[in-house]
Amino acid sequence: EAGVAQSPRYKIIEKRQSVAFWCNPISGHATLYWYQQILGQGPKLLIQFQNNGVVDDSQLPKDRFSAERLKGVDSTLKIQPAKLEDSAVYLCASSPLTTGQGAIYGYTFGSGTRLTVV
Amino acid sequence: DQQVKQNSPSLSVQEGRISILNCDYTNSMFDYFLWYKKYPAEGPTFLISISSIKDKNEDGRFTVFLNKSAKHLSLHIVPSQPGDSAVYFCAASAWTGNQFYFGTGTSLTVIP
């Protein structure tokens, strides 16, 4: 089975610019997660979807970050305007299970998008 | 508030010897614990898990031990191989929760 696809792999932007990341989860996976991993830290959950509905976005900085998952498949994460502290790897993950079960049995990560804000 | 902690940022081990990676957590609601392995420029991949009803889980060369009273878990790799060189993250979740909380990772280097 194909893995979780993310694009682009790398992105360099200036602060105050906008950027968007794309994720295509494993076919049939209902649950999708976006994580932010800052250098030297563990991944931190930004938002999770169950199909096309948001389950938890409590840690998403909503003044600048937005995400959507149209039709319960692909997802995009947008930052507008970007700040220097947004420099990180943005990881998308998916699971065939419900959100709670996915948190128990693990999920599959994509390779991530490395964002550098200068 | 770091609920999952990996206090050793790096570890070097000779090939064939045992690697022991440690992880501590603070939230007593955590029921499930996982270890992920991450190579450079790749996403984390699931390695092994353990639930709070067990104190040990083994999968080939990898064994995870859980000490609930100490809120501590460890991953043992025996024997260590150069291909095991990677960053290892422990993660914890609660049955009633929706997400994993990750530690900061330990970079393991296995020296041939």
Side-chain angles (χ1 to χ4, degrees):
Chain A
E1 102 188 319
V4 176
Q6 290 188 247
S7 67
R9 289 299 306 271
Y10 305 93
K11 190 74 176 179
I12 301 174
I13 62 172
E14 295 183 350
K15 59 184 179 182
R16 291 187 289 274
Q17 286 187 323
S18 63
V19 64
F21 312 126
W22 174 82
C23 173
N24 185 14
I26 293 173
S27 177
H29 280 198
T31 307
L32 184 147
Y33 307 79
W34 283 102
Y35 276 82
Q36 178 193 57
Q37 185 179 9
I38 294 173
L39 186 65
Q41 299 182 19
K44 183 186 80 170
L45 180 70
L46 291 176
I47 188 169
Q48 55 175 316
F49 294 91
Q50 179 85 26
N51 296 311
N52 61 347
V54 175
V55 174
D56 185 351
D57 63 357
S58 58
Q59 299 184 88
L60 187 74
K62 299 181 187 63
D63 58 334
R64 298 185 299 106
F65 286 64
S66 64
E68 61 181 6
R69 189 183 184 197
L70 299 177
K71 301 180 183 179
V73 182
D74 294 6
S75 177
T76 56
L77 176 69
K78 297 178 181 178
I79 308 175
Q80 180 179 8
K83 293 185 175 181
L84 297 177
E85 59 261 36
D86 298 330
S87 295
V89 175
Y90 291 85
L91 294 162
C92 178
S94 71
S95 168
L97 305 172
T98 63
T99 55
Q101 291 173 319
I104 294 168
Y105 299 111
Y107 28 79
T108 304
F109 283 90
S111 298
T113 296
R114 180 177 295 278
L115 173 67
T116 302
V117 182
V118 297
Chain B
D1 179 24
Q2 190 72 30
Q3 299 191 57
V4 179
K5 300 177 183 178
Q6 293 175 258
N7 293 319
S8 298
S10 62
L11 176 67
S12 291
V13 173
Q14 289 285 338
E15 180 179 4
R17 306 293 287 269
I18 184 171
S19 295
I20 301 177
L21 296 90
N22 294 304
C23 179
D24 298 291
Y25 61 96
T26 58
N27 190 337
S28 59
M29 297 296 292
F30 288 149
D31 296 304
Y32 292 87
F33 306 88
L34 295 85
W35 285 92
Y36 277 85
K37 178 179 180 179
K38 185 181 184 305
Y39 292 117
E42 295 184 12
T45 55
F46 171 75
L47 189 59
I48 192 170
S49 66
I50 189 168
S51 73
S52 60
I53 62 173
K54 295 184 175 181
D55 55 17
K56 176 182 175 181
N57 190 27
E58 193 171 355
D59 183 3
R61 296 186 297 113
F62 301 91
T63 303
V64 57
F65 295 92
L66 175 62
N67 183 333
K68 293 185 289 293
S69 60
K71 294 191 178 66
H72 177 84
L73 66 156
S74 61
L75 174 68
H76 292 208
I77 307 173
V78 183
S80 301
Q81 299 174 354
D84 297 329
S85 297
V87 177
Y88 290 79
F89 292 96
C90 69
S93 71
W95 173 257
T96 55
N98 291 319
Q99 65 169 295
F100 287 119
Y101 294 87
F102 283 83
T104 52
T106 296
S107 178
L108 173 66
T109 302
V110 180
I111 303 166

